[in-house]
Amino acid sequence: MRLMDAIIQNKIRYLEQHAPPVLSSGLPLLDELLEGGLHEGELSEWGMPWGQGLRELLLPFLAAAQRKDYWILWIYGQSKICVNPLAWKARAVDLNRIRFAQSEHALRDLRPVFLSDFFRLIVIDQSKQLSDEDCAFLARQARRLRQSILILKPYALSHTQGNVWARLRVNCGQDLQSRMFRAELLKGRHPKQLLFSTRQWMESNSHNNEF
Amino acid sequence: MKAIIPFPQHEPGLLPAETACFLAVRSHAAKSLEQLQALTPRIMQWDADSRILDLRLCSAFWQYQARRQNQSLLECLQSELDELFAGQTYHAAFAETPWQAVLLLSLLEEMQIPGFTSKTSRFGSNIMRSLSWEIWWQCAATYAEQSRAHKKAEMSSFLQQKGAMELTMRRLGLKSPMQHQFLPSSQIKRRFGSLIAEIWEQTFAKAESSSLDAFPWRFMSFCENPRIQRHLDFSTNDWSTVEAYLADDLNRLCLLDSFKKGERILQLEWMIVLCNLQEIPVSILFRHPHSLHDESPYQRTALLQISYSFQKLWQKLQNHDELRIISWTLEVKEKIRPRMRQATLFHESRDDWHALMNLENMLLKPLEAYQLKEDWVPEDSFTISSGAQSPSRSSLRSLLQLGRTRPLFLYQTPQRILPQSSQTKTLWNFHERTMEKWWRRRGLTRNYYQFTRDAEMLWVFRDTYGEYFAQGVYA
């Protein structure tokens, strides 16, 4: 039994030493949901319907990544819109270390960024349907280059079917009438659901505000 | 009936300094003038001691250099010129159009103001206001000479028209061209001919004006363009086959005497010949100066850019299988020649900026970078990042407080909405009031609200006329 205990302890120590670095947002709400934060080298999928203010939930991760001197790339698939940099800056995103790109076909138009370790955090927001092969490629590259790649979908993710290559899957939503955020973990950590109000979010995020 | 004033399509605007892309330089240091090729491959000899530089092709590169050195674009260019001329006297004028750069240059020389001056600066614009007819006509005469070389004008008719216009201006008591910029060029053309009208129009043209195309450019050719030709033993339209041969040709280009190691290319031309002997030129542009020598033998960046053009071309030819390539010529059209001293331009530091420029050269789509401006109007609160001055600390605090309630994304053109038509419950949350610029849309006020309806949150404003427009979305 003592031998077994020793083997188990060694294994745990090995896993702890070789665990992927975690990108913590610094906000207890989010870090509690993700059990520490985003893992580097991980492909994650987020169900974030458009127009519900949900992308704000990711900005603390961007700010945290930039504090580690990482470069961020946000690829948005919507046409006829443009980025509002003042709003991003006000939410503690450093405009000097982030780039944006408008593309509906991220892998076709921007493939070299996924083959380089320059951008350590890449968000693919509403790209056209990614095939299994594309997702496999993204997962492989994320692991190899220690990138965090986030795929944002404009709808709630299914509980039963989904991206097998994503190690983390999260559904987010907001009840616009009651102003309550909802985040539900589908895969990658212990299943849990989190409900918090806009006020709780603002209070939690207050230290990240630039002013 | 209330008029609905249309919104212009919003493009993230450049600051005034960054719309300027033309540099006119005068100096007696002939050797230093030759080295201006380090700034751009597009140089025109205006007269024996003057050159005009077209920086449009590498403006993105210079903006990056400025950001890398934590300088504004103007400071970066000034330091480059100071190093090039190394203590020798020079006059340099930077402006939005080549003709305005020439005029400013002449003024600087007359006033004996050496060094670098930008027309977009307060100092430069004040100097421009003092433009006299004498200097204008002196420069116009050179313009006419250059146009004559273009076979556009006969000098005798120009001199005749010049005399007539001088007399008219004297009789009317018009003391300076700059005071009368509202004289329409169509009237000038009717009375004094098309060449003088063209020069007149160029004097007051803005950066985006189409009259820039009329400028009598004649770029200097410093050496023969490196060129490689290939004839295939078979015809093909398969990219993988073409790619292998192209890689070989790019490496062969690097071995030519006319292409020195250290030179950077900005534009390649790939002239394809199809089996029906149709010749199709394909232009391959690089966002930043690119070194073919450094990427030898794989030539990944160049091949990526050529492949994008190839796919686009084949789509345009509608994928006709019978259209196959039998030969091509690969030519370096624009390249930058390095300076002997590698203090800044080709300093081979492997920092983030260098890696980012190399990465951008490989991409089909450009990457967007932004910086803030000191402006409360949402669509004017930012610009494309260029190293220009950021808002002051005190303004920044107010701006950021404002930004906290603004959405992450804006519509390129605000969309008119009819909030009363919604069947479901809506929520209105007042955020801010701002005023539009009176010279743009007659000083309308905008009351901004966070407007929630159905399953989306929009950023909506109500203008002075009671119309509602959605300008952003809380994504």
Side-chain angles (χ1 to χ4, degrees), chain A residues 113-183:
Chain A
V113 305
F114 300 100
L115 298 170
S116 159
D117 63 352
F118 185 80
F119 291 103
R120 294 294 295 274
L121 197 153
I122 302 175
V123 178
I124 305 174
D125 186 1
Q126 293 197 46
S127 188
K128 289 269 192 256
Q129 192 62 29
L130 294 167
S131 65
D132 273 349
E133 203 179 290
D134 293 337
C135 294
F137 168 77
L138 289 173
R140 190 171 58 245
Q141 290 303 112
R143 202 166 46 246
R144 198 169 71 81
L145 300 172
R146 297 165 72 94
Q147 292 169 325
S148 298
I149 300 180
L150 287 70
I151 300 175
L152 309 190
K153 299 286 189 186
Y155 47 78
L157 303 177
S158 162
H159 286 66
T160 50
Q161 295 172 12
N163 185 349
V164 298
W165 300 101
R167 282 203 187 157
L168 174 71
R169 298 178 78 238
V170 184
N171 260 339
C172 299
Q174 190 187 170
D175 185 330
L176 298 179
Q177 304 298 328
S178 62
R179 306 304 304 275
M180 292 292 290
F181 282 102
R182 186 189 72 255

Side-chain angles (χ1 to χ4, degrees), chain B residues 51-81:
Chain B
R51 303 285 185 272
I52 306 177
L53 282 68
D54 180 356
L55 295 172
R56 285 176 296 181
L57 201 60
C58 29
S59 63
F61 171 74
W62 285 112
Q63 283 166 13
Y64 260 87
Q65 284 296 105
R67 276 209 300 280
R68 197 177 181 180
Q69 291 157 29
N70 263 334
Q71 292 176 319
S72 68
L73 179 62
L74 300 182
E75 285 166 352
C76 180
L77 288 173
Q78 180 164 9
S79 61
E80 286 295 315
L81 287 171

Side-chain angles (χ1 to χ4, degrees), chain B residues 383-398:
Chain B
T383 183
I384 293 169
S385 182
S386 62
Q389 201 173 1
S390 301
S392 63
R393 208 184 165 117
S394 52
S395 307
L396 188 62
R397 201 176 162 78
S398 307

Side-chain angles (χ1 to χ4, degrees), chain A residues 50-55 71 76 80-82 84-85 87-91 97 99-100 102 109 209-210, chain B residues 352-353 356 364-365 367-370 382 400 403-404 406-410 412 450 452 455-457 474-475:
Chain A
W50 184 252
Q52 293 186 11
L54 296 168
R55 278 144 186 80
W71 282 81
Y76 58 97
K80 297 186 185 171
I81 64 164
C82 60
N84 185 12
W88 292 73
K89 176 75 178 164
R91 290 157 174 86
R97 292 189 84 87
R99 292 293 180 267
F100 298 92
Q102 194 282 320
D109 297 338
N209 292 340
E210 274 288 318
Chain B
D352 281 354
W353 293 110
L356 187 55
L364 178 60
K365 291 240 170 173
L367 298 182
E368 302 160 6
Y370 299 101
F382 60 96
L400 291 177
R404 193 66 190 86
R406 289 184 177 179
L408 295 179
F409 293 95
L410 299 176
Q412 283 177 351
Q450 185 183 69
T452 308
E456 65 178 353
M457 288 197 298
Y474 290 89

Side-chain angles (χ1 to χ4, degrees), chain B residues 326-356:
Chain B
I326 57 170
S327 71
W328 63 69
T329 308
L330 199 55
E331 185 178 353
V332 176
K333 282 295 214 190
E334 311 265 19
K335 58 182 167 75
I336 284 189
R337 189 176 158 187
R339 284 189 291 137
M340 294 309 291
R341 286 163 50 206
Q342 295 188 349
T344 50
L345 181 59
F346 293 107
H347 182 58
E348 298 294 0
S349 69
R350 300 288 165 194
D351 59 4
D352 281 354
W353 293 110
H354 185 87
L356 187 55

Side-chain angles (χ1 to χ4, degrees), chain B residues 405-443:
Chain B
T405 56
R406 289 184 177 179
L408 295 179
F409 293 95
L410 299 176
Y411 292 115
Q412 283 177 351
T413 309
Q415 299 170 2
R416 188 154 172 253
I417 63 167
L418 298 167
Q420 296 85 357
S421 65
S422 175
Q423 298 299 317
T424 57
K425 195 176 168 189
T426 57
L427 286 171
W428 293 86
N429 189 12
F430 177 74
H431 276 181
E432 63 179 271
R433 168 177 284 186
T434 192
M435 188 88 165
E436 290 190 42
K437 299 191 172 114
W438 60 267
W439 59 94
R440 282 230 210 117
R441 288 184 80 238
R442 301 186 315 196

